[in-house]
Amino acid sequence: MDQGTFSAVDEFIGETIVEEDEALRGAVEAAEAAGLPAIQVSPPQGRLLQLLVRLLAARKILEFGTLGGYSAILMARALPEDGRLITLEAKQEYADVARQSFERAGVENRVEVRVGPALEALPGLEEEAPFDLVFIDADKVNTPNYFTWALDHARTGALIIADNVVRDGTLADATAADESTRAQRRLHEMLRGEARVSATTIQTVGVKGYDGFLVALVEGA
Ligand code: SAH
Ligand code: DHB
Ligand code: MG
């Protein structure tokens, strides 16, 4: 099996059970036109995020890494009317593209983009906590730092999801030199014996290649 097959299967899923509407296609097109990298979650992954938002009956979501707003639109749409999503983006130009797409998707009242390095935004988020869902999808070297903060600022029963932890299977390589990969290994080591979460990592293939995401359920104290 190869990348062509993985992409073809995602395409089939997209044509059958996971439809992208005008606003989502618009968000992808606006991002592409502005020269943003096409690294948003795939449509099937995005649908899973939506299902989890609904299952959790989430009202407050925090996202690390906005890009063009694709995953944020999906999650925001699954929120109730009075729900809120805060998404953190380092680049002003990306945030500007995302804000326009939020308006086209009609979720601008539920979504707030905060621009700047996510670590610097965290002190200002204290009063917004606790969150019901945290989606970590920004700079991969900081995933363990974001996870640690999320764990301290999530309600019991919340989910913390970290994207891009498998990284072409390099997650299993103890000698990996790549800092992003080392951070994902450290995250997993960190969760060994961490009583405050029950977690798993699911390997994935699809239009985005071979990767995977970690899902952690926050347990009561
Ligand atoms: N969640 C998006 C994809 C995010 S891609 C989606 O699925 O649609 C990763 C994003 O993280 C990029 O937009 C990048 O600019 C941003 N990023 C990188 N380093 C960051 C940092 N230190 N703080 C906040 N955002 C950062
Ligand atoms: C990259 C970032 C992502 O969040 C992703 O899902 C895939 C790739 C990247 O920075 O290359
Ligand atoms: Mg990602």
Side-chain angles (χ1 to χ4, degrees):
M1 250 160 320
D2 61 6
Q3 183 55 50
T5 308
F6 303 152
S7 296
V9 171
D10 262 355
E11 250 167 63
F12 177 72
I13 296 166
E15 286 162 5
T16 52
I17 60 177
V18 180
E19 80 282 12
E20 248 180 343
D21 70 0
E22 201 67 27
L24 282 172
R25 277 195 297 273
V28 172
E29 280 162 21
E32 194 183 347
L36 275 54
I39 52 177
Q40 68 275 3
V41 294
S42 69
Q45 290 168 343
R47 174 59 57 80
L48 177 62
L49 289 176
Q50 286 193 305
L51 297 179
L52 293 173
V53 171
R54 291 178 57 193
L55 268 171
L56 288 165
R59 305 167 74 87
K60 262 192 185 176
I61 300 174
L62 176 62
E63 174 178 73
F64 291 82
T66 313
L67 192 67
Y70 187 87
S71 54
I73 290 170
L74 285 166
M75 291 190 286
R77 282 177 160 177
L79 280 170
E81 199 60 50
D82 61 347
R84 191 136 170 271
L85 182 149
I86 298 174
T87 179
L88 308 177
E89 173 54 51
K91 297 192 173 174
Q92 181 71 56
E93 35 173 332
Y94 291 13
D96 292 342
V97 173
R99 281 195 187 106
Q100 290 192 358
S101 291
F102 295 150
E103 276 179 33
R104 271 194 305 273
V107 297
E108 73 274 15
N109 295 331
R110 267 174 270 175
V111 180
E112 183 190 341
V113 195
R114 297 197 182 182
V115 184
L119 280 178
E120 291 176 21
L122 294 180
L125 286 171
E126 291 284 338
E127 64 201 40
E128 309 285 352
F131 292 94
D132 303 309
L133 172 63
V134 181
F135 180 47
I136 301 175
D137 194 24
D139 50 325
K140 308 309 166 186
V141 288
N142 274 312
T143 296
N145 297 327
Y146 301 150
F147 192 98
T148 298
W149 191 92
L151 191 46
D152 289 337
H153 296 84
R155 70 159 164 90
T156 297
L159 285 184
I160 304 172
I161 302 173
D163 196 21
N164 313 115
V165 302
V166 174
R167 315 191 65 74
D168 274 313
T170 57
L171 181 64
D173 179 5
T175 69
D178 176 63
E179 283 303 324
S180 295
T181 294
R182 296 176 66 82
Q184 308 322 311
R185 289 185 57 85
R186 207 163 61 247
L187 171 65
H188 283 74
E189 297 290 357
M190 220 170 81
L191 295 187
R192 188 210 305 263
E194 170 54 79
R196 292 181 294 163
V197 301
S198 295
T200 188
T201 290
I202 298 298
Q203 305 186 63
T204 56
V205 294
V207 67
K208 296 186 69 182
Y210 170 36
D211 211 326
F213 54 87
L214 181 145
V215 182
L217 175 71
V218 179
E219 303 282 8

